[in-house]
Amino acid sequence: MKHSKYMPKNMNWKLFFFLFSLSTYGLFQYNRLEANSFNMEIHQKITKLYDTIRKATPFYLNTLSVEMEQGVHMLNGVSVMVNETGKIKQLSSGINLLEEEIKLNVGEGYWGITLLQKSATNVNNAHVKPLGDVHIDLNSKYKFDENWINRILENEKMLERYQAFSQCDLKFTEPYVEKYSLQKIRTIFYPMYVNKSLEAMVLIDLKDDVFTHWLNDFNNKRKTFLSYRKSGGLFIQKESITIPCAPIDNQLTISINMVLILCISLIFSFMMIVIVFSIESLLSHFFNHYAIDQMTGLYRRDYHENKLNRTSGKSVIIVDIDHFKNINDEHGHLKGDLVIKEVCKRLQKNVRQNDVAIRWGGEEFVIVLNHISHNGLLNRIEDIRHSICRELIEGMNVTVSIGATTGHAFSFKKAFKLADKALYQAKNSGRNRAILMEDVK
């Protein structure tokens, strides 16, 4: 009797590859849809960032100026580089608020903020947070001889961006390496005009990996496997994102990382297989506990008898160990148990997968068969008898008596009675006999 029929071995790999294929396809389709979602999300983030920067204009216009002497001053954490004594806007509180709001949007991608202000004599003054060597160097170079703000406009081709309804009134640069810190950054330039006259400019410096931080946050939040990489190998390109108000060739390519998808699918499939077989093991343990006789490995009588009583057309074999009481009396019950185990072991070698072998009593066993002919059943019971008596069991000559019937025209109860009568006849004929009986007279 083979209990593997409840989970065929050739089903294991089929189930694994089915789960693997299903999870791979599902993860790919999910990431394909989420790539579109990230495209929309990153545009929303950039739009929000730009709108936040534009808030500097009304604050700047409505901020009072105070007299400040030439030099570098620290106001509320903001360094103010005054290149000529005169009126300077009190912008530190607004710069701090602007910085906080930008940090909420870009997170770890934030680097610094600078606000350049023209004086009445066209001299540059700078509000910087945090102040670095690069700011001191640039301020020293452009404070008098060349206007810092105008140079930026010319280099970045941002002249006359004050017109109404301008599509891009600011610019997001390509990445470059800052001179002193060697940090790779991008800068957003936002010029502020008053009555068509350029008065100030906001510079927001962001780390070049700000887009990577956004994508990593998105992947962590949405459990996706997206990356900035063009198609090739195991990366499948899905989206091309153009950054608004940035150079034309400054695009981000979103790809699906198939390496991760395949790895996750492999792990998922393996875990599911483990779960399936764990459940099968628990069910098998439960089944064995309630349906299988623990000593012989055969079915228990109380598990199968009621089911069999409702059937008909079954062939029945009854096997009984000869002189078993003498074995127990002369050699002890432990030796008797060993004899029963070995008899059942040999008996099972003559039981087909679709047959049902039951421990009916202490040393009595019943085999219920389907679709077997008279000659086939006769050969079977002789094979069973011979397999048990041909070799010693625990140093003893052990034999069995067998009664059987094809029972094709009877209920199970009637077939069992007929097989039991055949067994009685085998016992009375001297034991170590196998008798097949077909009629009830």
Side-chain angles (χ1 to χ4, degrees):
M1 180 176 53
K2 299 179 181 178
H3 300 299
S4 59
K5 63 184 178 180
Y6 297 100
M7 178 63 78
K9 289 184 178 180
N10 61 357
M11 184 66 70
N12 301 352
W13 283 110
K14 289 181 180 179
L15 177 60
F16 177 82
F17 284 117
F18 171 76
L19 291 171
F20 179 75
S21 301
L22 183 64
S23 60
T24 299
Y25 176 78
L27 285 173
F28 173 76
Q29 292 299 331
Y30 172 71
N31 280 268
R32 183 180 65 83
L33 294 174
E34 289 302 294
N36 296 328
S37 299
F38 179 71
N39 192 342
M40 292 184 289
E41 182 173 303
I42 198 170
H43 276 93
Q44 291 172 356
K45 283 182 172 289
I46 293 173
T47 299
K48 183 178 179 181
L49 176 62
Y50 289 171
D51 290 342
T52 300
I53 295 172
R54 292 186 180 105
K55 292 179 182 179
T57 297
F59 178 80
Y60 179 86
L61 295 177
N62 292 284
T63 299
L64 298 176
S65 299
V66 296
E67 190 77 18
M68 296 187 70
E69 293 184 357
Q70 183 179 358
V72 179
H73 307 268
M74 181 66 72
L75 298 177
N76 298 321
V78 178
S79 299
V80 184
M81 295 188 293
V82 181
N83 294 315
E84 183 179 74
T85 300
K87 296 287 187 180
I88 302 295
K89 292 272 190 179
Q90 292 183 306
L91 300 172
S92 58
S93 60
I95 288 174
N96 286 329
L97 291 173
L98 182 61
E99 180 188 56
E100 288 180 10
E101 193 164 345
I102 291 173
K103 282 183 176 180
L104 287 175
N105 194 22
V106 302
E108 297 179 9
Y110 177 79
W111 184 246
I113 183 171
T114 301
L115 193 151
L116 302 177
Q117 176 189 353
K118 285 185 179 181
S119 68
T121 58
N122 208 32
V123 172
N124 288 296
N125 297 296
H127 305 255
V128 184
K129 185 179 183 184
L131 181 65
D133 292 336
V134 65
H135 304 108
I136 296 172
D137 184 35
L138 290 171
N139 183 64
S140 175
K141 183 176 181 181
Y142 297 114
K143 62 183 177 182
F144 291 118
D145 299 334
E146 187 177 350
N147 187 276
W148 194 351
I149 298 177
N150 289 339
R151 181 191 61 82
I152 293 174
L153 288 178
E154 183 177 353
N155 289 344
E156 300 297 331
K157 297 180 175 56
M158 296 177 64
L159 298 178
E160 299 182 353
R161 292 297 179 96
Y162 58 83
Q163 294 96 332
F165 307 111
S166 174
Q167 183 177 3
C168 283
D169 55 349
L170 43 71
K171 183 176 182 179
F172 203 155
T173 70
E174 293 180 344
Y176 64 93
V177 178
E178 195 178 69
K179 182 177 179 181
Y180 292 96
S181 66
L182 300 181
Q183 174 68 43
K184 195 173 184 181
I185 63 174
R186 296 172 181 259
T187 300
I188 301 175
F189 297 112
Y190 175 57
M192 292 185 287
Y193 292 86
V194 179
N195 296 326
K196 297 184 179 182
S197 175
L198 181 61
E199 286 200 2
M201 176 177 286
V202 177
L203 288 72
I204 305 297
D205 293 326
L206 304 177
K207 297 177 186 177
D208 179 46
D209 58 6
V210 61
F211 298 114
T212 302
H213 288 305
W214 283 345
L215 183 57
N216 289 340
D217 289 343
F218 183 87
N219 282 333
N220 291 333
K221 179 175 62 177
R222 306 291 276 271
K223 309 304 178 187
T224 50
F225 308 111
L226 306 177
S227 63
Y228 295 121
R229 181 165 178 164
K230 293 185 178 180
S231 59
L234 289 177
F235 290 84
I236 300 178
Q237 181 178 344
K238 295 310 299 176
E239 289 293 330
S240 183
I241 302 174
T242 301
I243 303 171
C245 300
I248 295 175
D249 61 344
N250 195 19
Q251 292 184 333
L252 303 173
T253 301
I254 300 296
S255 297
I256 296 176
N257 190 335
M258 291 302 297
V259 174
L260 284 176
I261 286 181
L262 292 173
C263 289
I264 294 297
S265 297
L266 192 66
I267 294 171
F268 168 79
S269 302
F270 178 76
M271 290 179 62
M272 289 303 297
I273 288 293
V274 170
I275 291 172
V276 167
F277 288 120
S278 296
I279 294 174
E280 184 212 13
S281 178
L282 289 174
L283 292 176
S284 177
H285 179 76
F286 177 84
F287 177 81
N288 288 336
H289 181 74
Y290 287 97
I292 305 298
D293 178 68
Q294 299 303 304
M295 186 173 76
T296 64
L298 305 185
Y299 283 110
R300 287 168 46 172
R301 176 177 178 176
D302 55 0
Y303 177 79
H304 258 296
E305 186 173 16
N306 289 333
K307 298 178 183 179
L308 291 172
N309 286 337
R310 296 191 295 270
T311 64
S312 61
K314 304 285 186 181
S315 298
V316 178
I317 300 173
I318 303 177
V319 180
D320 188 87
I321 301 175
D322 295 330
H323 302 298
F324 185 74
K325 185 177 183 301
N326 293 339
I327 295 174
N328 276 337
D329 292 344
E330 295 177 12
H331 302 281
H333 288 280
L334 180 59
K335 186 68 73 171
D337 289 346
L338 294 176
V339 169
I340 289 176
K341 288 181 180 179
E342 181 58 29
V343 167
C344 290
K345 183 178 179 181
R346 297 182 186 186
L347 185 148
Q348 283 181 300
K349 293 179 180 179
N350 293 280
V351 174
R352 300 173 303 183
Q353 185 163 342
N354 292 327
D355 298 339
V356 177
I358 307 167
R359 186 182 186 185
W360 204 257
E363 70 276 8
E364 187 177 69
F365 315 100
V366 172
I367 304 171
V368 182
L369 312 90
N370 292 316
H371 311 298
I372 190 169
S373 65
H374 177 90
N375 289 335
L377 184 58
L378 186 60
N379 291 332
R380 179 74 66 83
I381 60 178
E382 277 298 329
D383 288 342
I384 293 172
R385 185 191 66 80
H386 181 67
S387 69
I388 293 170
C389 70
R390 67 184 176 184
E391 293 182 6
L392 296 178
I393 298 178
E394 296 296 322
M396 295 177 283
N397 289 312
V398 177
T399 62
V400 294
S401 297
I402 302 173
T405 181
T406 56
H408 293 163
F410 308 127
S411 66
F412 171 76
K413 286 183 178 181
K414 198 168 184 179
F416 182 85
K417 288 181 180 179
L418 185 58
D420 191 52
K421 186 174 182 179
L423 174 64
Y424 181 78
Q425 185 174 327
K427 291 282 187 181
N428 288 337
S429 299
R431 294 182 171 83
N432 194 19
R433 299 282 189 275
I435 295 178
L436 175 61
M437 186 174 291
E438 295 288 4
D439 300 313
V440 178
K441 298 296 183 179

